[in-house]
Amino acid sequence: MTRATRSDGSNLSSEALNALRSSVKGKVVVKGQSPEDEYRPLLERWNRMHIKEANIIVLPETEEDVSSTIKFVGEHNLDVAISSGRHTYSGPSSSYGLIIDLRNLRKVSVDENKMIAVAQGGCIAGDVEAAAEAVGLRPVMGAVNATGCGGITTGGGIGNLSAQHGLVADNLLAARVALADGRIVVASDEENQDLFWGIRGGGSNFGLVTEFTYKLHKADPQVFSGFFMFPPDKLDAYLELMNSMHQDYVMKSNGKFTCNGFLAIMGGNPIPGFLIWYDGPEEEGQKYIKPLLDLGPIYPGSGAEMKPHTLTTDWKQFEKMFPPQFNRLVGTSTQMNYPLSVDILKKTVEKFKDIVAAHPESLSVSKLLFDIRDYSKIASVPLDATAYANRREGCLIAADLIWDKEELDKEMLQVAKDFISQVRAWVKEDNQQKGIAEVGAHVAATTLYALVTDGDEKLVSVFGPNLGRMKELKRKYDPDMMWDKWYPVDPNHEATN
Ligand SMILES: Cc1cc2nc3c(=O)[nH]c(=O)nc-3n(C[C@H](O)[C@H](O)[C@H](O)COP(=O)(O)OP(=O)(O)OC[C@H]3O[C@@H](n4cnc5c(N)ncnc54)[C@H](O)[C@@H]3O)c2cc1C
């Protein structure tokens, strides 16, 4: 079966739908048959640009439900998507066919002595964080508690604890995976090792994870964290400070300090800021923020304080940056070597400013992000140890273009593409001038973060030297490409992309 011949399920007979209903305990919601107020909210995505009117949505209550639904998908050659936290940038959890929506599979159990958490496949990061924090432990998750474990773990996953403990995927001990034929298997260092390799960075290419087992870490109850924002005339000094924040503070903190730059354009002016996070007491944390206070004046409301870790990832603190009408998004990313070229940073900000100037109201909450963290723990894992291929030191630069009007969708996708191509070209030129070898993606780590892209990158840019093994595994676990939504690897396509 090829992707082109998949059905959207619109002509399924009522007998077939009834058979599906009777094979699962969970709800089966059908477009045009189920009440609109039940159907429509299930389509919602954080990025509304990717809402698709699925014909069938199955809400499994059990692992067996997942298995039966996958068999149904196979029998009827349906187009299928998996959705869990629905926080994807590029839309792979949407389909016009059948969506397996895991929102009702959100149980977590924590074993305090073994320091592990077992989380069902529909959990969001906050479910695992809260259960672990209750016994003084922490999982590695992303910066925001609302992202789904499904997407963030299978795609890699970077968060506050990554500098100390690696990727979210590096902290996965085992998983139960529903394969394209509906079988459920365990993937771990002991069982189906190749599948375990693939689901750590290979996304949903190999199956649906019904259960994650995570390593947890001992932690103090509170961390020192907060936002610092500066007036536009501090922009140059802010950009110049980045290298020193990385070299003199982040890299000397044993992974305990991260300093994420962000920049928005307000009233035509760049407003730069840092989101800082220090895993230690306030007295120590104050030393790390001294350069930020010296850079001041800081905007009112800026500052850091001790708070529970779960509060630092609480979506509520980010909510005011994302008013609800701004719900269409495209993300792009690239990585720059240290020391960062301040000239490129300035040109990047100028270009971003020009983009926002074209639609000042619609793009007012768009942001540039500069991920200044210690990547050595992530980079210390051999590149071929998991499918995840972006294991290198560097500053991840991402642009989140966020807007409010559907008619801007096409333009913004193109603008984002042009923007990141330009920044990548500047970085490449700078590397050449500095004599940093331009090594092909086949022999080196990749330079983009696959969870923050428009979904349209070349496969070799996402999987780098691991693409060959990805194809082998796809041939073994999903030769007919049932799972074809997040950077699907075509096992029979010889070309590198
Ligand atoms: C506001 C915001 C903040 C973010 N912050 C971070 C961050 O700090 N760090 C970071 O690394 N990323 C971050 N991201 C990116 C985020 O990790 C990805 O978008 C991720 O894919 C979201 O996963 P999800 O389960 O919520 O998404 P969904 O839209 O539900 O799914 C995304 C993809 O994951 C697959 N998937 C979902 N569940 C499963 C499962 N159980 N088994 C197999 N495949 C599954 C789906 O098939 C789909 O391909 C952020 C995104 C947003 C919108």
Side-chain angles (χ1 to χ4, degrees), residues 247-260:
Q247 195 182 318
D248 304 327
Y249 293 88
V250 166
M251 295 306 282
K252 292 188 177 154
S253 70
N254 287 325
K256 291 185 167 188
F257 179 59
T258 59
C259 182
N260 289 318

Side-chain angles (χ1 to χ4, degrees), residues 348-474:
T348 302
V349 172
E350 271 309 305
K351 192 155 177 64
F352 187 69
K353 209 171 123 185
D354 290 346
I355 290 172
V356 177
H359 301 282
E361 299 301 323
S362 283
L363 290 174
S364 60
V365 303
S366 298
K367 279 169 199 68
L368 266 184
L369 304 168
F370 308 94
D371 186 30
I372 303 177
R373 86 177 72 226
D374 182 350
Y375 271 82
S376 35
K377 181 76 187 175
I378 294 173
S380 71
V381 174
L383 204 51
D384 61 0
T386 67
Y388 185 80
N390 178 223
R391 294 189 185 274
R392 66 198 294 279
E393 286 286 357
C395 175
L396 191 78
I397 299 181
D400 277 3
L401 291 186
I402 307 167
W403 62 98
D404 53 355
K405 294 187 185 74
E406 190 176 345
E407 58 265 30
L408 289 177
D409 289 359
K410 211 168 154 207
E411 178 184 347
M412 288 307 131
L413 283 169
Q414 191 56 48
V415 164
K417 252 187 221 323
D418 295 346
F419 172 81
I420 209 67
S421 306
Q422 176 64 77
V423 179
R424 285 173 185 167
W426 285 330
V427 171
K428 187 172 177 181
E429 195 185 315
D430 188 58
N431 285 345
Q432 279 163 351
Q433 276 167 13
K434 286 179 179 156
I436 298 170
E438 270 297 324
V439 272
H442 279 292
V443 289
T446 58
T447 54
L448 60 81
Y449 187 46
L451 287 178
V452 181
T453 65
D454 60 4
D456 205 20
E457 300 284 352
K458 289 183 172 176
L459 289 178
V460 73
S461 307
V462 173
F463 300 114
N466 293 330
L467 181 55
R469 188 154 186 222
M470 287 286 296
K471 282 186 188 170
E472 268 171 44
L473 290 194
K474 192 76 174 169

Side-chain angles (χ1 to χ4, degrees), residues 86-406:
R86 305 173 294 283
H87 259 63
T88 186
Y89 273 62
S90 57
S93 54
S94 304
S95 164
Y96 290 110
L98 185 148
I99 294 175
I100 305 178
D101 186 324
L102 301 173
R103 71 182 70 207
N104 293 337
L105 293 175
R106 280 180 62 180
K107 283 198 202 88
V108 186
S109 62
V110 169
D111 186 322
E112 196 178 338
N113 297 322
K114 290 188 184 156
M115 292 179 45
I116 58 169
V118 178
Q120 282 188 311
C123 283
I124 59 168
D127 297 335
V128 190
E129 287 178 336
E133 190 168 88
V135 295
L137 298 171
R138 274 187 222 148
V140 179
M141 288 287 153
V144 175
N145 65 4
T147 48
C149 291
I152 203 166
T153 310
T154 58
I158 300 172
N160 293 325
L161 286 166
S162 292
Q164 293 175 65
H165 305 298
L167 299 170
V168 177
D170 293 338
N171 287 273
L172 186 68
L173 297 171
R176 292 176 62 80
V177 186
L179 302 176
D181 58 8
R183 271 181 308 136
I184 312 264
V185 299
V186 172
S188 69
D189 277 335
E190 285 76 41
E191 288 178 73
N192 299 303
Q193 293 92 337
D194 55 356
L195 182 61
F196 191 45
W197 179 93
I199 58 167
R200 290 175 293 165
S204 47
N205 258 296
F206 306 111
L208 182 159
V209 179
T210 57
E211 187 180 278
F212 296 96
T213 301
Y214 295 108
K215 194 191 289 178
L216 300 176
H217 302 275
K218 285 216 170 79
D220 289 333
Q222 300 215 323
V223 294
F224 185 64
S225 175
F227 293 95
F228 292 83
M229 285 162 76
F230 306 93
D233 64 353
K234 292 289 173 185
L235 178 66
D236 287 359
Y238 164 88
L239 296 175
E240 269 153 29
L241 186 62
M242 285 186 180
N243 279 317
S244 149
M245 289 312 290
H246 175 253
Q247 195 182 318
D248 304 327
Y249 293 88
V250 166
M251 295 306 282
K252 292 188 177 154
S253 70
N254 287 325
K256 291 185 167 188
F257 179 59
T258 59
C259 182
N260 289 318
F262 60 90
L263 184 144
I265 308 292
M266 290 180 192
N269 293 310
I271 308 292
F274 286 113
L275 165 58
I276 70 100
W277 189 92
Y278 179 70
D279 195 5
E282 176 160 4
E283 312 80 79
E284 286 175 21
Q286 289 289 353
K287 285 188 269 175
Y288 287 89
I289 61 166
K290 185 169 181 308
L292 310 187
L293 298 174
D294 291 346
L295 179 67
I298 54 173
Y299 273 128
S302 295
E305 59 187 353
M306 294 302 290
K307 46 182 106 155
H309 175 66
T310 43
L311 261 192
T312 69
T313 60
D314 192 340
W315 176 243
K316 284 197 193 83
Q317 68 164 340
F318 301 97
E319 234 165 16
K320 45 183 180 299
M321 295 186 195
F322 299 100
Q325 72 274 27
F326 294 94
N327 49 29
R328 316 184 80 80
L329 160 80
V330 60
T332 53
S333 57
T334 192
Q335 225 164 3
M336 204 193 283
N337 293 312
Y338 289 103
L340 305 175
S341 155
V342 176
D343 183 43
I344 295 181
L345 293 177
K346 283 184 186 166
K347 287 195 289 192
T348 302
V349 172
E350 271 309 305
K351 192 155 177 64
F352 187 69
K353 209 171 123 185
D354 290 346
I355 290 172
V356 177
H359 301 282
E361 299 301 323
S362 283
L363 290 174
S364 60
V365 303
S366 298
K367 279 169 199 68
L368 266 184
L369 304 168
F370 308 94
D371 186 30
I372 303 177
R373 86 177 72 226
D374 182 350
Y375 271 82
S376 35
K377 181 76 187 175
I378 294 173
S380 71
V381 174
L383 204 51
D384 61 0
T386 67
Y388 185 80
N390 178 223
R391 294 189 185 274
R392 66 198 294 279
E393 286 286 357
C395 175
L396 191 78
I397 299 181
D400 277 3
L401 291 186
I402 307 167
W403 62 98
D404 53 355
K405 294 187 185 74
E406 190 176 345

